[in-house]
Amino acid sequence: MNLPVLGLFALGYSGLVLFMLAQALRKLYPPMRAAWTAFGISAVVHGATPFMLADSERWLPLTLFWLVPHLLWLPVLLWTARRQERGS
Protein backbone atom coordinates (compact mmCIF):
# COMPACT_ATOMS: atom_id res chain seq x y z
CA MET A 1 0.00 0.00 0.00
CA ASN A 2 1.50 3.33 -0.97
CA LEU A 3 1.87 6.26 1.39
CA PRO A 4 -0.91 8.59 0.04
CA VAL A 5 -3.49 5.81 0.31
CA LEU A 6 -2.32 5.00 3.81
CA GLY A 7 -2.53 8.69 4.72
CA LEU A 8 -6.09 8.94 3.40
CA PHE A 9 -7.01 5.85 5.38
CA ALA A 10 -5.57 7.39 8.55
CA LEU A 11 -7.41 10.66 7.90
CA GLY A 12 -10.72 8.89 7.30
CA TYR A 13 -10.37 6.59 10.28
CA SER A 14 -9.43 9.42 12.62
CA GLY A 15 -12.34 11.55 11.45
CA LEU A 16 -14.78 8.69 11.89
CA VAL A 17 -13.52 7.87 15.38
CA LEU A 18 -13.48 11.49 16.56
CA PHE A 19 -16.91 12.43 15.25
CA MET A 20 -18.63 9.23 16.36
CA LEU A 21 -17.10 9.43 19.83
CA ALA A 22 -18.01 13.12 20.13
CA GLN A 23 -21.57 12.34 19.04
CA ALA A 24 -21.86 9.60 21.66
CA LEU A 25 -20.42 11.85 24.38
CA ARG A 26 -22.82 14.63 23.44
CA LYS A 27 -25.51 12.74 25.31
CA LEU A 28 -23.51 13.30 28.51
CA TYR A 29 -21.77 16.63 27.94
CA PRO A 30 -22.30 19.90 26.06
CA PRO A 31 -20.97 19.81 22.47
CA MET A 32 -17.67 21.62 23.09
CA ARG A 33 -16.78 19.49 26.10
CA ALA A 34 -17.79 16.35 24.19
CA ALA A 35 -15.46 17.33 21.34
CA TRP A 36 -12.49 17.92 23.64
CA THR A 37 -13.21 14.72 25.59
CA ALA A 38 -13.45 12.70 22.38
CA PHE A 39 -10.14 14.16 21.21
CA GLY A 40 -8.50 13.37 24.56
CA ILE A 41 -9.78 9.79 24.73
CA SER A 42 -8.79 9.09 21.15
CA ALA A 43 -5.37 10.67 21.58
CA VAL A 44 -4.62 8.66 24.72
CA VAL A 45 -5.76 5.36 23.24
CA HIS A 46 -4.12 5.83 19.85
CA GLY A 47 -1.04 7.44 21.40
CA ALA A 48 -0.40 4.56 23.78
CA THR A 49 -0.80 1.87 21.14
CA PRO A 50 2.54 2.41 19.30
CA PHE A 51 4.46 2.31 22.57
CA MET A 52 2.82 -0.93 23.67
CA LEU A 53 2.84 -2.83 20.37
CA ALA A 54 5.74 -1.59 18.26
CA ASP A 55 9.51 -1.65 18.36
CA SER A 56 11.24 1.53 19.49
CA GLU A 57 12.43 2.43 15.97
CA ARG A 58 8.81 2.55 14.76
CA TRP A 59 7.46 4.78 17.53
CA LEU A 60 7.92 8.05 15.64
CA PRO A 61 6.29 7.00 12.34
CA LEU A 62 3.40 5.34 14.13
CA THR A 63 2.91 8.33 16.43
CA LEU A 64 2.82 10.65 13.40
CA PHE A 65 0.37 8.24 11.73
CA TRP A 66 -2.28 9.02 14.35
CA LEU A 67 -1.17 12.48 15.50
CA VAL A 68 -1.25 14.31 12.17
CA PRO A 69 -4.80 13.23 11.19
CA HIS A 70 -6.09 13.94 14.70
CA LEU A 71 -4.63 17.44 14.61
CA LEU A 72 -6.06 18.03 11.14
CA TRP A 73 -9.54 17.04 12.32
CA LEU A 74 -9.46 18.93 15.62
CA PRO A 75 -10.33 22.39 14.16
CA VAL A 76 -13.23 20.90 12.19
CA LEU A 77 -14.46 19.04 15.26
CA LEU A 78 -14.32 22.18 17.41
CA TRP A 79 -15.98 24.29 14.72
CA THR A 80 -18.82 21.76 14.49
CA ALA A 81 -19.21 21.73 18.27
CA ARG A 82 -19.30 25.53 18.35
CA ARG A 83 -22.05 25.55 15.71
CA GLN A 84 -24.03 22.99 17.69
CA GLU A 85 -23.75 25.07 20.85
CA ARG A 86 -25.00 28.18 19.07
CA GLY A 87 -27.89 26.30 17.48
CA SER A 88 -29.24 24.82 20.69
Side-chain angles (χ1 to χ4, degrees):
M1 189 179 283
N2 58 9
L3 196 57
V5 172
L6 198 58
L8 285 175
F9 170 75
L11 192 62
Y13 175 76
S14 295
L16 180 68
V17 166
L18 286 172
F19 280 93
M20 294 300 288
L21 187 55
Q23 184 63 29
L25 288 170
R26 220 178 124 220
K27 296 176 182 177
L28 299 172
Y29 303 122
M32 191 61 78
R33 183 170 177 197
W36 279 110
T37 305
F39 180 78
I41 290 171
S42 185
V44 167
V45 170
H46 289 111
T49 303
F51 298 108
M52 293 187 315
L53 301 177
D55 299 329
S56 60
E57 67 267 0
R58 292 187 176 202
W59 285 351
L60 180 63
L62 289 175
T63 300
L64 292 175
F65 182 72
W66 72 263
L67 181 64
V68 171
H70 274 68
L71 290 178
L72 288 173
W73 278 116
L74 183 60
V76 178
L77 185 66
L78 294 176
W79 177 72
T80 303
R82 191 172 304 129
R83 284 188 59 212
Q84 288 176 351
E85 280 187 346
R86 283 188 206 150
S88 57

PDB file of all heavy atoms in Angstrom, residues 26 31 80-88:
ATOM      1  N   ARG A  26     -21.918  13.481  23.404  1.00  0.00           N
ATOM      2  CA  ARG A  26     -22.822  14.631  23.442  1.00  0.00           C
ATOM      3  C   ARG A  26     -24.082  14.354  24.252  1.00  0.00           C
ATOM      4  O   ARG A  26     -24.761  15.264  24.697  1.00  0.00           O
ATOM      5  CB  ARG A  26     -23.202  15.013  22.010  1.00  0.00           C
ATOM      6  CG  ARG A  26     -23.233  16.500  21.834  1.00  0.00           C
ATOM      7  CD  ARG A  26     -23.552  16.889  20.445  1.00  0.00           C
ATOM      8  NE  ARG A  26     -24.723  17.762  20.587  1.00  0.00           N
ATOM      9  CZ  ARG A  26     -25.748  17.775  19.802  1.00  0.00           C
ATOM     10  NH1 ARG A  26     -25.792  16.984  18.776  1.00  0.00           N
ATOM     11  NH2 ARG A  26     -26.740  18.586  20.010  1.00  0.00           N
ATOM     12  N   PRO A  31     -21.739  20.131  23.678  1.00  0.00           N
ATOM     13  CA  PRO A  31     -20.973  19.807  22.468  1.00  0.00           C
ATOM     14  C   PRO A  31     -19.482  20.121  22.532  1.00  0.00           C
ATOM     15  O   PRO A  31     -18.653  19.301  22.099  1.00  0.00           O
ATOM     16  CB  PRO A  31     -21.660  20.638  21.386  1.00  0.00           C
ATOM     17  CG  PRO A  31     -23.039  20.823  21.866  1.00  0.00           C
ATOM     18  CD  PRO A  31     -22.934  20.905  23.351  1.00  0.00           C
ATOM     19  N   THR A  80     -17.509  22.410  14.486  1.00  0.00           N
ATOM     20  CA  THR A  80     -18.820  21.762  14.487  1.00  0.00           C
ATOM     21  C   THR A  80     -19.466  21.852  15.868  1.00  0.00           C
ATOM     22  O   THR A  80     -20.664  22.117  15.982  1.00  0.00           O
ATOM     23  CB  THR A  80     -18.677  20.293  14.060  1.00  0.00           C
ATOM     24  OG1 THR A  80     -18.056  20.243  12.782  1.00  0.00           O
ATOM     25  CG2 THR A  80     -20.014  19.603  13.990  1.00  0.00           C
ATOM     26  N   ALA A  81     -18.672  21.635  16.910  1.00  0.00           N
ATOM     27  CA  ALA A  81     -19.207  21.727  18.273  1.00  0.00           C
ATOM     28  C   ALA A  81     -19.667  23.148  18.580  1.00  0.00           C
ATOM     29  O   ALA A  81     -20.703  23.352  19.217  1.00  0.00           O
ATOM     30  CB  ALA A  81     -18.151  21.277  19.271  1.00  0.00           C
ATOM     31  N   ARG A  82     -18.916  24.143  18.128  1.00  0.00           N
ATOM     32  CA  ARG A  82     -19.305  25.535  18.354  1.00  0.00           C
ATOM     33  C   ARG A  82     -20.616  25.845  17.638  1.00  0.00           C
ATOM     34  O   ARG A  82     -21.493  26.528  18.188  1.00  0.00           O
ATOM     35  CB  ARG A  82     -18.207  26.471  17.864  1.00  0.00           C
ATOM     36  CG  ARG A  82     -18.423  27.905  18.292  1.00  0.00           C
ATOM     37  CD  ARG A  82     -17.255  28.801  17.969  1.00  0.00           C
ATOM     38  NE  ARG A  82     -16.010  28.288  18.557  1.00  0.00           N
ATOM     39  CZ  ARG A  82     -14.881  28.103  17.877  1.00  0.00           C
ATOM     40  NH1 ARG A  82     -14.824  28.390  16.602  1.00  0.00           N
ATOM     41  NH2 ARG A  82     -13.815  27.652  18.481  1.00  0.00           N
ATOM     42  N   ARG A  83     -20.789  25.345  16.435  1.00  0.00           N
ATOM     43  CA  ARG A  83     -22.046  25.549  15.706  1.00  0.00           C
ATOM     44  C   ARG A  83     -23.207  24.866  16.410  1.00  0.00           C
ATOM     45  O   ARG A  83     -24.318  25.404  16.455  1.00  0.00           O
ATOM     46  CB  ARG A  83     -21.927  25.013  14.282  1.00  0.00           C
ATOM     47  CG  ARG A  83     -21.129  25.932  13.381  1.00  0.00           C
ATOM     48  CD  ARG A  83     -21.167  25.501  11.946  1.00  0.00           C
ATOM     49  NE  ARG A  83     -22.538  25.483  11.480  1.00  0.00           N
ATOM     50  CZ  ARG A  83     -23.004  24.640  10.565  1.00  0.00           C
ATOM     51  NH1 ARG A  83     -22.212  23.749  10.011  1.00  0.00           N
ATOM     52  NH2 ARG A  83     -24.259  24.683  10.173  1.00  0.00           N
ATOM     53  N   GLN A  84     -22.970  23.690  16.976  1.00  0.00           N
ATOM     54  CA  GLN A  84     -24.035  22.990  17.687  1.00  0.00           C
ATOM     55  C   GLN A  84     -24.409  23.726  18.967  1.00  0.00           C
ATOM     56  O   GLN A  84     -25.588  23.753  19.331  1.00  0.00           O
ATOM     57  CB  GLN A  84     -23.589  21.571  18.026  1.00  0.00           C
ATOM     58  CG  GLN A  84     -23.524  20.662  16.831  1.00  0.00           C
ATOM     59  CD  GLN A  84     -22.986  19.291  17.172  1.00  0.00           C
ATOM     60  OE1 GLN A  84     -22.495  19.056  18.269  1.00  0.00           O
ATOM     61  NE2 GLN A  84     -23.058  18.387  16.215  1.00  0.00           N
ATOM     62  N   GLU A  85     -23.436  24.310  19.636  1.00  0.00           N
ATOM     63  CA  GLU A  85     -23.746  25.070  20.849  1.00  0.00           C
ATOM     64  C   GLU A  85     -24.567  26.310  20.541  1.00  0.00           C
ATOM     65  O   GLU A  85     -25.454  26.680  21.284  1.00  0.00           O
ATOM     66  CB  GLU A  85     -22.476  25.453  21.583  1.00  0.00           C
ATOM     67  CG  GLU A  85     -21.904  24.353  22.417  1.00  0.00           C
ATOM     68  CD  GLU A  85     -20.726  24.793  23.270  1.00  0.00           C
ATOM     69  OE1 GLU A  85     -20.180  25.886  23.022  1.00  0.00           O
ATOM     70  OE2 GLU A  85     -20.366  24.031  24.174  1.00  0.00           O
ATOM     71  N   ARG A  86     -24.255  26.980  19.450  1.00  0.00           N
ATOM     72  CA  ARG A  86     -25.003  28.181  19.071  1.00  0.00           C
ATOM     73  C   ARG A  86     -26.416  27.837  18.642  1.00  0.00           C
ATOM     74  O   ARG A  86     -27.334  28.605  18.872  1.00  0.00           O
ATOM     75  CB  ARG A  86     -24.304  28.900  17.926  1.00  0.00           C
ATOM     76  CG  ARG A  86     -23.109  29.682  18.359  1.00  0.00           C
ATOM     77  CD  ARG A  86     -22.619  30.507  17.203  1.00  0.00           C
ATOM     78  NE  ARG A  86     -21.194  30.768  17.365  1.00  0.00           N
ATOM     79  CZ  ARG A  86     -20.353  30.941  16.386  1.00  0.00           C
ATOM     80  NH1 ARG A  86     -20.778  30.874  15.144  1.00  0.00           N
ATOM     81  NH2 ARG A  86     -19.090  31.191  16.621  1.00  0.00           N
ATOM     82  N   GLY A  87     -26.581  26.680  18.001  1.00  0.00           N
ATOM     83  CA  GLY A  87     -27.890  26.300  17.483  1.00  0.00           C
ATOM     84  C   GLY A  87     -28.862  25.826  18.553  1.00  0.00           C
ATOM     85  O   GLY A  87     -30.059  25.879  18.383  1.00  0.00           O
ATOM     86  N   SER A  88     -28.331  25.364  19.673  1.00  0.00           N
ATOM     87  CA  SER A  88     -29.241  24.819  20.691  1.00  0.00           C
ATOM     88  C   SER A  88     -29.600  25.833  21.754  1.00  0.00           C
ATOM     89  O   SER A  88     -29.146  26.890  21.876  1.00  0.00           O
ATOM     90  CB  SER A  88     -28.600  23.614  21.363  1.00  0.00           C
ATOM     91  OG  SER A  88     -27.366  23.941  21.942  1.00  0.00           O
TER      92      SER A  88
END
